[in-house]
Every structure is written in C-alpha cells, then in structure tokens.
Amino acid sequence: MPYADAVAKTAATTFYAEKDAAPEKGAAKALMAPGDKTRFDAMFDTMSPDERKAMFDGIGKDVARVAGAQALASMLRDSGLSGREIDARFGYDHAALSRTANGKSVSGPTLWRLYALAEALGFDIELKVTERK
C-alpha cells in the first residue's frame, strides 16, 4: 500500500473508531465502534483512489465542522459576552453563532470567520504541528 494511502487509512480509522474521551454538548461521537476496524480495513482496501479521496474529503469537512464549532463555543463562553452583545458590537448574527457553536450548522464556521471573531473578541487561534514522540 502506498505511504499516502496508509496514512490516510490510519487517519480515517482513528477518526471513525476512537471514542470521545470527554463528551460535551455538541461534541463529536464515534461513527464506528472499535470492533468494526476489520470491516473498515476490508472496505478501504477495495476502494478506488477517487473513492478514497471522496471519503477523506468528507472526513475532513466533518473534522473541520466539529473543531470549528468547539473553537467557536470556547470563544463565546470565555468572552463573557452574550450572543446578542457580540451581534450588537461586531455584527455577527447571534442566532447563527449559536447554531454553529452548538454543532447544528451543516458546514461549520469558516477559518476566516473564526479568525475574524477571535480578533474581535481578543483571542488568538493557533494552528500547530508537533512531532510525535
């Protein structure tokens, strides 16, 4: 199996199989039980490159939606401002902020929107890559 496929397969298996250690309101739930890994491996091995790409595009969107919602919820909670106050001060629709922060948005927040809101509320967003040990 090519290296890129092996990495992608590991990422998908991890995303779909791991249980959320500390479930919170709106947190992602496992989509596949750990015992289903064998079935996933067999399915993955029969997929064409286009099918694999489509699957990982979907996983990437799911991860971005959930991570974005969690980042947004954290900023809203820690800002000390209500959604209506943020709406009045900065022009962000409070209903849309609430839906997105609670994971009810289909697409989640864009990275641009997260950065803009973080700037307005006095937060920094860090994207970080670290070496595994």
Side-chain angles (χ1 to χ4, degrees):
M1 174 182 302
Y3 177 74
D5 283 352
V7 170
K9 182 178 179 181
T10 301
T13 302
T14 301
F15 178 74
Y16 281 114
E18 284 186 350
K19 297 287 185 191
D20 191 12
E24 299 173 16
K25 184 179 179 185
K29 293 187 171 91
L31 301 176
M32 181 171 68
D36 292 341
K37 184 179 181 322
T38 303
R39 279 198 340 244
F40 178 83
D41 287 348
M43 178 193 71
F44 186 88
D45 291 340
T46 64
M47 296 172 90
S48 72
D50 288 341
E51 290 170 324
R52 290 178 184 179
K53 181 185 180 315
M55 180 182 70
F56 290 115
D57 284 348
I59 292 170
K61 288 176 184 174
D62 288 345
V63 170
R65 182 182 58 79
V66 170
Q70 290 173 342
L72 178 59
S74 175
M75 285 191 290
L76 295 176
R77 180 185 60 247
D78 295 346
S79 73
L81 299 172
S82 72
R84 291 186 190 275
E85 289 173 312
I86 292 170
D87 187 346
R89 286 187 192 182
F90 307 110
Y92 288 92
D93 176 42
H94 69 279
L97 287 173
S98 177
R99 276 191 310 276
T100 303
N102 288 310
K104 300 203 191 286
S105 169
V106 174
S107 62
T110 63
L111 190 55
W112 167 248
R113 182 153 302 203
L114 283 175
Y115 272 103
L117 186 61
E119 181 67 27
L121 296 176
F123 290 93
D124 289 321
I125 293 181
E126 297 177 6
L127 298 175
K128 186 176 177 181
V129 176
T130 58
E131 184 178 359
R132 283 189 222 138
K133 296 179 183 185

